[in-house]
Amino acid sequence: ILHPDITVKQVYLKEYQEEFISNYEVMRWDNQEVYDQMLAACKEKGVEVLQALPADPWLFGDFTVQFFNTKPHREKKVGENENAVGTKLTVRSYSAFLAADINNIVGTEDEIAPEIGRVDILKLGHHGYTFSTTKKFVETLSPKISIVTNDRPASRVNGNSLLALLDAGSAIYTTGEHDGVIANLTGETIVLTENIHN
């Protein structure tokens, strides 16, 4: 649910093609139904759907936005997480990478990490589960702050990811432990607000 003062005019939605998705996922989750519902909702509201996602940076207010992993994996059947789109946000000297559900099963993190470069904030891929946020990925991005969207404590983040983040000196916050986390990049420093649901 969006704030009533926010009007959505365009939606970036990577094309979903079930024939390229692993049989396990097709049977376990009905991604096609959810995708079709999203398209129908956009059509009903008159929202333009953009499926050719730009790979080049673009401006959105004060932010520079850049999408990563914009081309769908079609070389073999994969899980839909392999097609997740990561977003880098940059404002002045600060940057954050929101990794969505990206993992490294087919080498996505290895491919995009050098293009992303160092960031101040990393929202871990796939809630900090196994196969995402590899040591190499963390070493390349070297985040000062890492945020995990999960109800698990930080100590239960995928062990390899946790060690890599600790080695990088990254402060780790989980949304479950901290009752939500907002990172504000608009001032002279990064300000984190916790307990946003109280």
Side-chain angles (χ1 to χ4, degrees), residues 101-156:
D101 279 345
I102 288 174
N103 59 42
N104 205 44
I105 292 175
V106 295
T108 304
E109 288 185 345
D110 292 342
E111 180 183 331
I112 65 176
E115 300 170 23
I116 298 167
R118 292 183 179 271
V119 297
D120 296 291
I121 299 174
L122 170 64
K123 196 289 290 178
L124 268 66
H126 201 202
H127 315 285
Y129 292 141
T130 305
F131 305 122
S132 70
T133 319
T134 60
K135 185 176 190 295
K136 183 177 178 182
F137 190 68
V138 171
E139 287 174 348
T140 304
L141 273 59
S142 191
K144 297 180 179 77
I145 298 167
S146 297
I147 298 173
V148 190
T149 53
N150 205 316
D151 59 2
R152 299 182 302 175
S155 61
R156 291 187 57 211

Side-chain angles (χ1 to χ4, degrees), residues 17 43 62-63 66 68 109-110 113 138 145 148 153 171 178 181 187:
Q17 291 181 278
K43 184 176 181 180
D62 294 334
F63 287 87
Q66 186 171 9
F68 290 85
E109 288 185 345
D110 292 342
V138 171
I145 298 167
V148 190
H178 296 272
V181 179

